[in-house]
Every structure is written in C-alpha cells, then in structure tokens.
Amino acid sequence: MVYILLGAGFEEAEALVTADVLRRANLPVTLAGIGGEYVTGSHDITVKAGLPVEKVSLEKGDMVVLPGGMGGVASMEGSGAAMALIRRAMEDPELWLAAICAAPTLLARAGLLPEGGSCVCYPGMEGELAQAGAVPAMDRAAVTEGRLITGKGPGTAFDFALALVEALAGAEVAAQVRAGLHYGV
C-alpha cells in the first residue's frame, strides 16, 4: 500500500498526480489525512482522505509519500502520528519513503536524510539538505537513493510519480504508464 499523507496546505498537484499515476500502475493508494477527513490544499482544493493518519498500519513493502506545500509540511511536522510513520518508513529496510518539494526539508530537520546520499527538493531549499549531510542533486527532477525517493516540485510531479512506480512495480510498468500518459513524447 502507498500512503500519501495530506496535511492542511499540501501541494495538490504533487499529491494527486502521484496518486493518479500510481493507480494507473495498479498500485494501491490511500490518502491519509492529518487533522480530519477533509483536507484543504495550498490552492484551496479540498480532498477527502480515505483514512486518518493515526489509522495507518505499515507492512512490508509499503510506501509513505510526503507531498510538499509549506502548510502541508508544517502539518506533518506537527503531527506525532505522521512523524512516527515517517521515521518508521525511513528506518525500516522493508519500507519505502518518498518526499517532494518542501517535504525533503522536513526529513533534513528530523535528521532522517542519509549522510552523503543524493536527494532533491524545491529550488532554494537545498541548503537545508546540505546542512543535514545530504548531497543536493538539483539538476534532476527525481532522485532514488536506496529506499528514499525525492522530487523537485509540482512541475516534476509526473517524474516523481513515475520514479515511485519504477521502484514499486519495475521499469517495464513505469514505461507502460509513461506511454499511456503520453508523457515525454
């Protein structure tokens, strides 16, 4: 299962494009809400979460996805349940963690980025990644470093989502989804 965490002020494009692309790859996705069943994003689009973040139960192979948006990131940082999931996903070798836009800076502040590992975030925020010991790869749209996948921002949401598909379902499935989307052609 892929759990996309939604906190008030999340970046809608990053969350919803990712959910859509993953479902096109027949991967199960649940939107997990922080602070309520209905969560409003940074552009005033309200989304109904499928489950409260407190009820997420991670199992082998699951992935936790952190969309950006400054408000959404602050919501995740302020939620004990969300931070427990994030820490578990980063520390458990049988789980995946993905973060895009401003969300990799949450990982930096929490001390969860791999020392010397490559990652990417929203341009202008890469100093936080470097201070945490990571190596910003700002020339890339998405970076896979072990079981951590990071993405640059809303304009790279398809690249990010396709990187998640490749990690979870393989390069062939990712190529099929890319072709079906007519992305990059």
Side-chain angles (χ1 to χ4, degrees), residues 53-76:
V53 71
E54 293 82 6
K55 294 203 175 182
V56 172
S57 178
L58 298 175
E59 298 178 12
K60 180 180 179 177
D62 285 350
M63 177 183 278
V64 176
V65 179
L66 316 177
M70 296 302 287
V73 170
S75 293
M76 287 184 275

Side-chain angles (χ1 to χ4, degrees), residues 1 34 61 134 139 167 172:
M1 178 66 69
I34 299 168
D139 60 330
E172 184 177 321

